[in-house]
Amino acid sequence: MFSRRELSADLEAVRSTHAPDTPVLDAESDFETIPPAAAEDLGLFVDRLEPAGYPAEWLPADAPAVLERYRGSTFTVGAPGDGTVVWTAQTDPPTVICKRRAETTPDDFLAFLIARAFVEIGADVPEHFLPFFGDRYRDLDAAIRGPDVPGDLTPVDVYQVANALFDAWVGLRTRETFAGWAGDHDRLYDAWVDAGERLTGRLDALPRRMARGEMTFPEATEYACSAVRHDLDLPTPFAALDTAAYADHGADYAVRWAEKTFAALETSESSESS
């Protein structure tokens, strides 16, 4: 299912700096989660496999099945929303995997995605939002779906918001590295800038689109949080995620942000109905 990918000189340089010895593999197929038997094939390219598992108490009873599977003892690599390039630290050394869709991804942007994976590995961030939130995931779920929260968001919506919030936190901890590529790795720097410019046009319209029902709150959160990596100006209420406090306090800050944000939504809906 996997084959080793040859890297360009700039990617080799970034790998050497942030993730020495990390193999970069091409997968024969697209996937959300690699089947356990196929995931074990990663053992052919690394020194050892180190499957992760997490306490059942971290999740609410109605958490999505994919999250239960990731939490459990089955060797699970990848998750919905991971994108074209994924990485896992459940191998030693960590491994970067390009899905089949990488074949149609523009070369420079694909190079940035691979380089981004190296930087994230070197930054020692978790590979998934579940260990980032830990036992605070239940609190996040309560903040988004509690009895006093307006709307009818689902466990899948909570998953989407959690993944977006984690993406923003990782972006805060890595974007300075991307910005520093100017002059040294210009192709990768330009790809980072270009990806950010593609997001700018719709950021200011997020609150308006949510108010009109053209975009759900989880969708808007996902869009806004993806912009944090590119150091773009975010509209309210997402601007509060682009702070040093979030970079420092992580999951606790994210849960508090969700509590305050959804409390404000409740107040707004109550005012409109009175």
Side-chain angles (χ1 to χ4, degrees), residues 129-144 158-170 172 217 221 225 228 237-263:
F129 69 74
L130 184 57
F132 169 71
F133 281 101
D135 59 4
R136 297 307 309 272
Y137 188 79
R138 294 176 70 98
D139 297 325
L140 181 70
D141 183 86
I144 295 174
V158 178
Y159 181 107
Q160 187 176 4
V161 171
N163 198 40
L165 292 173
F166 173 62
D167 189 36
W169 179 79
V170 173
L172 286 171
F217 187 86
T221 304
C225 287
V228 173
F238 306 108
L241 295 170
D242 191 358
T243 62
Y246 187 25
D248 292 341
H249 297 287
D252 290 338
Y253 186 100
V255 171
R256 182 60 181 146
W257 175 85
E259 290 170 345
K260 294 177 67 175
T261 298
F262 281 89

Side-chain angles (χ1 to χ4, degrees), residues 62-66 137 141 145 153-162 218:
D62 56 355
V66 66
Y137 188 79
D141 183 86
R145 297 200 300 137
L153 296 183
T154 68
V156 173
D157 292 322
V158 178
Y159 181 107
Q160 187 176 4
V161 171

Side-chain angles (χ1 to χ4, degrees), residues 7-24:
L7 299 182
S8 57
D10 51 1
L11 286 179
E12 286 284 11
V14 174
R15 176 166 65 174
S16 178
T17 300
H18 297 280
D21 303 323
T22 287
V24 181

